[in-house]
Amino acid sequence: PLVDALISAGISKSKRDARTLIQQGSIQLNGVKITDTAAVLHAEEAFDHEFSILKKGKKNYFVLNFR
């Protein structure tokens, strides 16, 4: 799930904080705003089936590897 990915990447400190960020529209995955707290990351949606870019707010970018 996206919530767990936010925690493991160090973007949020807790699941509650991660859900709040998603609901507020602060999280983008590969340039698409995510508002569903039950969203799941898939390798098929990643660039080259290998990595995705998470964005928190305007200036905080994180790269997720699917290896």
Side-chain angles (χ1 to χ4, degrees), residues 3-41:
V3 173
D4 294 333
L6 293 174
I7 294 169
S8 65
I11 298 171
S12 68
K13 297 177 183 173
S14 65
K15 287 188 177 186
R16 181 175 185 259
D17 184 39
R19 284 191 293 268
T20 302
L21 287 171
I22 294 169
Q23 289 171 346
Q24 290 175 346
S26 299
I27 301 296
Q28 289 186 14
L29 178 65
N30 297 330
V32 178
K33 189 177 290 189
I34 305 295
T35 56
D36 181 16
T37 56
V40 179
L41 298 174

Side-chain angles (χ1 to χ4, degrees), residues 28-33 45-47 51-55 66:
Q28 289 186 14
L29 178 65
N30 297 330
V32 178
K33 189 177 290 189
E45 298 170 354
F47 296 115
F51 65 93
S52 289
I53 299 173
L54 272 174
K55 180 179 173 187
F66 284 98

